[in-house]
């Protein structure tokens, strides 16, 4: 939305509020006969209602992913997967490099045909290993994309609720707005709500993992079965 200015946002917000039936200040009002105290209370109520109503909202998607507990956990998980894969790749590379050096060292003791056969087998091995590692890298990327899609679905649900709570009729991503007032940025609100959802899930998972231990069953064979002696 190149060229958007704060004044344009304010005007557009007022227009949208009028179209949706939201309260908007009139240019001319009839003289009120209410007492000064009643007028003051009415003014405070109108101000409170205006503060709680935002026809236009904005959010920072990248910040939500980077700072929310869901996003941090996702990034940590993917980073661990990538680090493990990189370490595996380094080890494979070292092993292949050592094998290649071994073939090179043995070349003088091998016939030309034997050397070509060994070299072809090594090349085929390298190609196969590279394909396997590429597939693992793609699997990590698919894991990230799938988890990110689930998180964005959750984020969209929260954004919808925030927009409804604040009476918004349109929500922009932060990068789409050239200039805006910070009061319409609900990024922190979304992060807090996502964190609350994650905290509930963590608590439920912890509760499930703390199952009470099963009571030991009585073993009839271990019971004292010695006959009682008569007095």
């Amino acid at each position: 939305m190149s060229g958007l200015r704060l004044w344009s946002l304010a005007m557009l917000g007022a227009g949208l509020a009028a179209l949706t039936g939201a309260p908007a200040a009139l240019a001319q009002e009839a003289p009120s006969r209410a007492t000064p105290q009643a007028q003051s209370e009415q003014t405070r109520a109108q101000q409170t209602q205006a503060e709680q109503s935002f026809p236009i909202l904005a959010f920072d998607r990248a910040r939500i992913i980077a700072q929310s507990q869901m996003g941090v956990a996702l990034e940590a998980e993917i980073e661990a997967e990538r680090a493990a894969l990189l370490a595996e790749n380094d080890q494979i590379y070292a092993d292949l490099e050592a094998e290649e050096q071994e073939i090179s060292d043995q070349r003088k003791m091998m016939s030309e045909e034997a050397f070509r056969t060994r070299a072809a087998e090594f090349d085929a091995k390298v190609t196969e290993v590279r394909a396997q590692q590429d597939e693992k890298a793609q699997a990590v990327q698919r894991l990230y994309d799938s988890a990110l899609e689930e998180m964005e679905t959750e984020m969209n649900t929260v954004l919808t609720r925030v927009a409804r709570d604040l009476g918004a009729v349109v929500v922009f991503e932060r990068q789409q707005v050239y200039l805006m007032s910070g009061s319409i940025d609900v990024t922190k609100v979304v992060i807090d709500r996502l964190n609350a959802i994650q905290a509930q899930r963590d608590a439920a998972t912890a509760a499930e993992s703390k199952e009470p231990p099963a009571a030991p069953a009585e073993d009839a064979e271990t019971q004292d079965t010695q006959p009682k002696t008569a007095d």
Side-chain angles (χ1 to χ4, degrees):
M1 297 181 61
S2 177
L4 189 59
R5 294 296 187 272
L6 190 59
W7 174 253
S8 300
L9 279 173
M11 295 299 294
L12 179 58
L16 291 171
L19 290 175
T20 56
L26 297 179
Q28 297 180 354
E29 295 183 357
S32 174
R33 298 180 180 179
T35 62
Q37 181 179 0
Q39 289 179 347
S40 177
E41 292 178 354
Q42 183 179 8
T43 300
R44 286 197 299 269
Q46 290 175 346
Q47 290 176 347
T48 300
Q49 187 175 20
E51 291 173 355
Q52 295 176 347
S53 179
F54 295 87
I56 298 176
L57 298 178
F59 72 101
D60 191 330
R61 175 180 176 275
R63 181 182 163 197
I64 292 174
I65 294 174
Q67 297 183 7
S68 67
Q69 293 177 7
M70 291 183 182
V72 170
L74 172 58
E75 292 294 338
E77 178 184 4
I78 297 303
E79 183 59 30
E81 293 287 342
R82 288 172 177 165
L85 183 58
L86 287 175
E88 185 180 48
N89 287 343
D90 290 342
Q91 183 60 52
I92 291 174
Y93 177 80
D95 293 342
L96 290 174
E97 191 175 40
E99 184 176 351
E100 183 181 27
Q101 184 61 45
E102 180 184 356
I103 295 174
S104 179
D105 293 341
Q106 295 177 353
R107 180 173 186 177
K108 295 179 180 179
M109 298 177 291
M110 300 169 62
S111 65
E112 187 66 24
E113 182 178 356
F115 173 77
R116 289 181 179 178
T117 301
R118 183 73 184 278
E121 291 174 350
F122 178 77
D123 289 342
K125 180 179 180 179
V126 171
T127 301
E128 181 180 0
V129 168
R130 182 183 294 114
Q132 291 174 351
Q133 297 309 110
D134 287 345
E135 174 57 31
K136 291 180 181 179
Q138 292 172 9
V140 172
Q141 185 62 45
R142 288 194 297 270
L143 175 64
Y144 176 77
D145 292 341
S146 176
L148 184 60
E149 183 178 355
E150 292 179 3
M151 180 180 173
E152 288 186 336
T153 298
E154 195 82 54
M155 180 173 58
N156 290 339
T157 300
V158 171
L159 276 170
T160 300
R161 293 172 182 170
V162 171
R164 179 191 60 197
D165 294 344
L166 297 179
V169 295
V170 62
V171 179
F172 292 108
E173 191 170 350
R174 180 66 180 84
Q175 287 72 18
Q176 295 176 301
V177 182
Y178 177 71
L179 184 65
M180 72 177 193
S181 169
S183 62
I184 69 171
D185 190 339
V186 293
T187 300
K188 184 63 167 57
V189 177
V190 175
I191 291 175
D192 290 342
R193 294 197 183 187
L194 285 174
N195 288 348
I197 293 173
Q198 186 63 42
Q200 292 177 354
R201 291 176 179 172
D202 293 342
T205 301
E208 291 177 358
S209 63
K210 294 181 180 179
E211 297 180 356
E218 293 185 359
D219 191 346
E221 296 180 358
T222 60
Q223 294 180 357
D224 187 8
T225 57
Q226 296 181 357
K228 296 181 180 179
T229 59
D231 293 336

